[in-house]
Each structure stands twice: as structure tokens, then as C-alpha cells.
Amino acid sequence: MMNSKLFILGLASAVFLTSCNQKEKTTETTAGTTDSATVQATPSDSITKATPTAAGDTSENSLDWPGTYEAVVPCADCPGIKTSLTLNNNKTFSITEEYIDRNSKSEDKGTFEWDAAGSMITLKGKTASYKYKVGENKLFQLDMDGKEITGPNKDLYIFKKK
């Protein structure tokens, strides 16, 4: 009686293990088909989007970062600097800075580079050399060392997407 129970238990285990292996093979085949379809779709996407410099999900490759961002950043001797920054898919930018209550406005254009982690950009213009952390519909202006600005006015350095 004991031997027949062990035999049935062993047979049931073998059937179970065999059925699990077949499902895994089916899943692998399906995943392989999906991966090859994704690989074929990538070349057409790379034409319209900038080529990411970092692997994995980053601000660079997972956020809708191109567009125009605005903020009024602090100014030492005026009420603020109304700033408008436009980032383009081809890694170019244009920036306009207007000093409030002054008759002073500056504009610059250039390129920007992503950091190795794909989360921060550095503007490279004639005069503009700012750094920003890229978030969802926001840019966080950083200090020249690439660190977040702290203190009571830190929220004034957050640019919002139009």
C-alpha cells in the first residue's frame, strides 16, 4: 500500500514538472518573438528621437523632456530674471533671460549634453553654461558643481514646462 502511494506521488510529480517545463519553453518562444519585433521597430524610432547616452530607464530616454520651460529665478539687484528655456530633440537649446524692472534681455543658443546617468543636462552656449536635473515636466536648476540648490529660495529654481 505504501509503495503504491509513493509510486502515484512520484508519477504526479513527474507530470507536474514536465508541464512546467513546457510552459517555460512557450513563454521563452513568445518573449523571443516580442524581442525581435522590438528590435526591428527601434531603427525607425531612433530617427525621430535623440540617441540616449545612458542605459536603462532615465530622464533622457523615458521622459517627454523636449519643450519650453519657464521660471523667474532670483536676482541679486532686481526682482528676478524671467527665464524661458527651450530644449529640442536634437540636443540644441535656446534661452531667453529678461531682468525684471530693467531694460535688459539676453538670448543664447547652443547645444546641451546629458550626463552619464541620463538625468542631468549641461547647456553649452556662447554665454549660457547652466546645469539642470530633468524631471517630469520640470527642470531643476543646479549649481555649477551639478548639485541641487538648497535654502529658502530653492523652489525658485524649478522650471515648469509650458
Side-chain angles (χ1 to χ4, degrees), residues 74-124:
C75 176
D77 58 352
C78 71
I81 306 167
K82 184 178 177 183
T83 307
S84 178
L85 171 61
T86 301
L87 301 177
N88 302 306
N89 263 335
N90 63 357
K91 296 184 183 176
T92 61
F93 76 91
S94 61
I95 190 169
T96 304
E97 297 172 301
E98 184 178 347
Y99 289 78
I100 299 173
D101 289 347
R102 281 203 211 160
N103 205 6
S104 179
K105 185 177 184 178
S106 66
E107 296 181 359
D108 198 2
K109 294 180 179 182
T111 60
F112 64 90
E113 293 179 354
W114 287 92
D115 69 338
S119 63
M120 182 181 76
I121 59 170
T122 302
L123 305 185
K124 298 194 179 288

Side-chain angles (χ1 to χ4, degrees), residues 69-85 95-100 130 132 139-142 149 153-160:
Y69 299 81
E70 294 181 338
V72 177
V73 297
C75 176
D77 58 352
C78 71
I81 306 167
K82 184 178 177 183
T83 307
S84 178
L85 171 61
I95 190 169
T96 304
E97 297 172 301
E98 184 178 347
Y99 289 78
I100 299 173
Y130 301 113
Y132 299 91
L139 296 177
F140 301 87
Q141 188 170 345
L142 305 172
I149 296 172
N153 293 329
K154 69 179 184 177
D155 291 341
L156 298 175
Y157 292 94
I158 300 173
F159 287 63
K160 295 181 179 154

